[in-house]
């Protein structure tokens, strides 16, 4: 990265001509990243705009795979290594880095608020290296993130997302030449499924639906004359992978399993394909999405070409997906439906019949779809 910066100046003299804004390190929960941290980052970019005679370079330090979220303002994205070594050569493993910054730990059901020292040291090292080339401005997450999560309209700059082009084309090809290929009577509507599954200390957590009931629900969606695409991140605790025999037995069920096999680079990785890029592409290219009970469902709120979404959510927390700022960017939650009949500890055994009936009732309601693109154009004119 620094060699590239040096090459920007033909005479090799970059001193006094470049400055850096170092944002991070972010290693917290995904929904906190999209909802509060990134809008705050944009504010900081706006605040530290460069003088005319200096080049401002924005560097983000965060988790490998999240770089598509920062494309509109980030020059270099540096991923945090998952393994560190201390001064004695001993490897330090951080198996769940997202268990910091407002995340329930698998070991302690508490809200953590401390960036692990190896991650902070890594960020400081990047800052020090950049400091050899120009002035460095630092901005890191702090306690204010937990305060902002309950504000109706917290300070921040929100932008809509589109999928990275590489992932978009790959998913488009998969759908056109796989799921829709050979259909004689026109394609069926395609629904993407994000079946939230999370285990804590070996037990299904208090807001996850039983895997067998998810499977039964996906099978019964055939009643609606649709195809479904079950999205899975390989090895992730947050998604449900269906057995291959189930996928083979029911023609309307399709499954895409993606994995992040990109090696952690020492410099910018913005051009690499990511799991998140695939997920964003699936959201854009399918006709509707169905989600389990997770705050990560708000990713769809930020999609420029947002499609309708049906969300199974717990009664305790559903209000956290309906703040005023969320309504502002989704046409007042237009075509977003929450099935929130049950409390946290009642989620595991929700009857499939109830989910099917709720979904059917929603589809039969006043289902007038207005594309998010039209809404954005209207807001821009105003």
């Amino acid at each position: 990265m620094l060699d590239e910066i040096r090459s920007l100046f033909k005479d090799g003299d970059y001193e006094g001509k470049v400055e850096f804004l170092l944002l991070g390190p972010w290693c917290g929960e995904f929904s906190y990243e999209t909802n509060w941290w990134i809008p705050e980052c944009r504010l900081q970019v706006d605040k530290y705009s460069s003088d005319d005679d200096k080049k401002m370079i924005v560097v983000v330090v965060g988790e490998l795979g999240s770089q598509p979220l920062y494309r509109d303002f980030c020059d270099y994205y540096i991923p945090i290594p998952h393994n560190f070594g201390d001064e004695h050569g001993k490897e330090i493993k951080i198996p769940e880095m997202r268990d910091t910054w407002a995340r329930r730990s698998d070991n302690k059901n508490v809200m953590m608020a401390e960036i692990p020292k190896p991650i902070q040291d890594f960020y400081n090292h990047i800052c020090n290296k950049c400091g050899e080339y120009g002035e460095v401005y630092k901005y890191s997450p702090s306690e204010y993130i937990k305060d902002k999560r309950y504000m109706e309209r917290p300070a921040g700059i929100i932008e809509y997302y589109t999928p990275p082009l590489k992932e978009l084309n790959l998913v488009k090809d998969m759908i056109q030449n796989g799921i829709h290929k050979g259909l004689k009577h026109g394609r069926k509507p395609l629904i993407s499924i994000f079946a939230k599954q999370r285990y804590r200390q070996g037990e299904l957590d208090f807001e996850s639906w039983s895997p067998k009931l998810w499977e039964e629900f996906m099978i019964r969606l055939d009643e609606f004359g649709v195809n479904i695409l079950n999205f899975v991140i390989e090895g992730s605790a947050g998604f449900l992978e269906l057995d291959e025999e189930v996928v083979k037995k029911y023609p309307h069920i399709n499954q895409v399993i993606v994995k992040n096999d990109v090696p952690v680079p020492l410099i910018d990785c913005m051009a690499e394909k990511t799991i998140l890029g695939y997920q964003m592409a699936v959201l854009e290219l399918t006709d509707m999405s169905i989600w389990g009970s997770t705050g990560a469902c708000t990713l769809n709120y930020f999609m420029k070409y947002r499609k309708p979404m049906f969300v199974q959510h717990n009664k305790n927390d559903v209000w956290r997906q309906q703040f005023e700022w969320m309504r502002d960017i989704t046409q007042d939650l237009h075509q977003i439906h929450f099935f929130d009949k049950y409390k946290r500890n009642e989620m595991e055994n929700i009857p499939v019949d109830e989910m099917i009936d709720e979904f059917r009732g929603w589809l039969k309601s006043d289902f007038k779809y207005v594309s998010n693109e039209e809404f954005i154009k209207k807001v821009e004119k105003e």
Side-chain angles (χ1 to χ4, degrees):
M1 179 188 81
L2 297 176
D3 288 337
E4 291 181 26
I5 293 169
R6 189 184 298 112
S7 68
L8 294 174
F9 305 95
K10 294 181 180 180
D11 57 3
D13 180 16
Y14 50 82
E15 291 185 11
K17 297 181 181 179
V18 63
E19 54 190 5
F20 298 86
L21 175 59
L22 269 292
L23 301 167
W26 180 266
C27 52
E29 185 169 334
F30 177 75
S31 60
Y32 284 68
E33 183 177 20
T34 56
N35 294 358
W36 298 288
W37 167 241
I38 292 176
E40 179 67 27
C41 285
R42 293 193 185 98
L43 274 183
Q44 298 305 314
V45 172
D46 189 58
K47 175 182 176 181
Y48 288 102
S49 57
S50 288
D51 297 330
D52 292 337
D53 61 341
K54 290 185 179 180
K55 179 176 179 59
M56 168 64 79
I57 296 175
V58 178
V59 181
V60 174
V61 178
E63 285 211 62
L64 178 65
S66 291
Q67 51 265 37
L69 300 172
Y70 298 85
R71 286 177 299 159
D72 61 288
F73 63 88
C74 175
D75 296 304
Y76 293 94
Y77 187 94
I78 301 180
I80 302 166
H82 277 229
N83 296 315
F84 294 85
D86 65 9
E87 63 272 22
H88 305 293
K90 181 181 178 182
E91 187 178 58
I92 302 172
K93 292 186 177 181
I94 302 180
E96 181 58 276
M97 289 197 295
R98 290 195 186 276
D99 277 349
T100 192
W101 287 110
R103 177 63 176 267
R104 290 178 294 273
S105 169
D106 287 343
N107 299 317
K108 298 178 182 179
N109 194 26
V110 296
M111 303 300 279
M112 301 178 69
E114 182 178 338
I115 297 173
K117 186 177 183 299
I119 296 177
Q120 187 63 56
D121 290 345
F122 177 75
Y123 171 77
N124 292 338
H125 172 71
I126 299 299
C127 291
N128 292 337
K129 294 300 292 183
C130 290
E132 297 175 7
Y133 288 73
E135 187 172 2
V136 173
Y137 303 99
K138 302 178 184 180
Y139 193 79
S140 298
S142 59
E143 289 288 337
Y144 74 90
I145 289 288
K146 291 195 288 185
D147 297 328
K148 293 181 74 170
R149 62 195 171 122
Y150 294 131
M151 295 179 183
E152 289 291 347
R153 286 192 174 93
I157 299 174
I158 292 174
E159 298 287 346
Y160 290 104
Y161 294 123
T162 56
L165 191 58
K166 288 182 181 179
E167 291 90 319
L168 184 69
N169 288 334
L170 286 168
V171 174
K172 185 181 295 184
D173 181 71
M174 177 195 67
I175 291 174
Q176 291 177 345
N177 297 315
I179 299 173
H180 291 156
K181 187 176 181 180
L183 294 178
K184 297 180 180 179
H185 305 291
R187 76 173 188 85
K188 297 178 181 180
L190 180 61
I191 299 176
S192 50
I193 307 289
F194 300 91
K196 186 259 184 174
Q197 295 283 289
R198 185 167 293 281
Y199 290 83
R200 302 186 188 278
Q201 299 178 334
E203 299 290 333
L204 197 66
D205 81 353
F206 53 72
E207 56 180 0
S208 292
W209 201 19
S210 161
K212 293 303 295 182
L213 297 180
W214 262 118
E215 180 181 307
E216 182 182 343
F217 174 72
M218 287 190 239
I219 291 171
R220 288 194 56 187
L221 285 175
D222 190 39
E223 299 173 15
F224 298 90
V226 299
N227 283 318
I228 66 170
L229 181 61
N230 185 41
F231 184 86
V232 180
I233 297 177
E234 185 178 69
S236 171
F239 295 83
L240 171 64
E241 181 178 347
L242 296 173
D243 187 271
E244 287 185 10
E245 293 302 316
V246 174
V247 178
K248 290 178 181 178
K249 183 176 180 180
Y250 298 95
H252 73 289
I253 296 179
N254 304 273
Q255 185 163 256
V256 57
I257 302 174
V258 295
K259 61 179 180 179
N260 198 345
D261 54 0
V262 179
V264 178
L266 297 178
I267 58 172
D268 174 54
C269 61
M270 194 64 81
E272 303 288 357
K273 296 188 291 293
T274 66
I275 288 172
L276 181 58
Y278 284 113
Q279 187 172 1
M280 294 165 78
V282 167
L283 284 171
E284 180 167 309
L285 295 171
T286 53
D287 300 297
M288 179 186 298
S289 59
I290 296 177
W291 296 75
S293 184
T294 172
C297 70
T298 57
L299 173 63
N300 197 41
Y301 292 12
F302 295 94
M303 296 302 296
K304 184 174 183 179
Y305 304 106
R306 178 177 55 83
K307 305 295 177 62
M309 60 189 294
F310 180 89
V311 185
Q312 178 203 69
H313 217 298
N314 71 81
K315 183 182 293 186
N316 305 79
D317 297 321
V318 68
W319 61 274
R320 295 172 61 185
Q321 320 306 324
Q322 302 175 14
F323 289 115
E324 288 300 319
W325 71 265
M326 296 176 176
R327 295 179 180 275
D328 291 341
I329 65 172
T330 60
Q331 310 173 56
D332 197 20
L333 301 177
H334 177 68
Q335 297 299 263
I336 299 174
H337 184 78
F338 293 96
F339 177 50
D340 56 354
K341 178 179 178 181
Y342 293 89
K343 297 178 181 178
R344 288 174 183 159
N345 293 314
E346 302 170 343
M347 301 289 289
E348 181 176 353
N349 296 306
I350 296 174
V352 174
D353 283 343
E354 290 192 21
M355 277 281 286
I356 290 291
D357 290 345
E358 184 81 11
F359 185 63
R360 180 178 287 111
W362 178 53
L363 294 181
K364 288 183 177 180
S365 64
D366 188 16
F367 204 84
K368 295 179 180 178
Y369 178 64
V370 178
S371 72
N372 208 44
E373 185 180 15
E374 292 180 33
F375 168 70
I376 294 170
K377 289 179 180 178
K378 180 181 178 182
V379 171
E380 288 176 346
K381 287 181 180 179
E382 294 175 351

